[in-house]
Amino acid sequence: MYIDSPGLLQSIACIANEAARRTNNLVTFREYIALPHYGGNIMLRFDLNADKCSIDELHRYEALLYSIAGDDFLIDFMGDVYQKIGMNPEALGMKLHELFVRYQDEPITDSVHKESVLEDARSLQKIAGVSRFARVWEIQPGNPTLMLILGNQNALFRKTSLPDGTPLVVAEVREEECEGLMKAAFYAKRNHVSLGSLLL
């Protein structure tokens, strides 16, 4: 699949290495996810190796990461990093609903990866017996590989396996919350602010 192809992994590794070098390993790469329904974008997720940080510091770090990655990727930090600036994980669902309302007019830009990511989604849908009309929110490669489809609830949908034997877990997630997060991510990118500041 494209999402674990050598060319893509090499591009991500170059960004990860440069981020670590320019921050003296303070910012380190953690994982990436593909977002088929939202323009086929790929989100790179990072850790901040510090006990605490400020919103201003996150503004600077995310701006730095975008300067390295360019327009080919979206950038954010892992959830526990945003908790360091005061994000309450228990209130995240409510906050994402607020973001859905606030940024509903924010445009979603198609990615250079779009066609390849959509092809991966179609392939996984066929393997998992998921309708081709299902809207795939997220594909997270790994063991197991995770595919999340947009719906009305957070619930396990199906477990199966890829042809190579890797487990494939398919789950349903609340569309409104995902939409809120994506719209906020694009707003943050366009306005050069940290996504974390919007989650507070």
Side-chain angles (χ1 to χ4, degrees), residues 34-48:
L35 304 161
H37 183 67
Y38 292 98
N41 279 276
I42 294 177
M43 177 82 78
L44 308 183
R45 311 191 72 195
F46 290 82
D47 264 331
L48 180 62

Side-chain angles (χ1 to χ4, degrees), residues 168-179:
L168 172 63
V169 177
V170 184
E172 181 181 350
V173 290
R174 292 189 179 95
E175 179 177 2
E176 190 175 279
E177 295 179 1
C178 299
E179 183 93 6

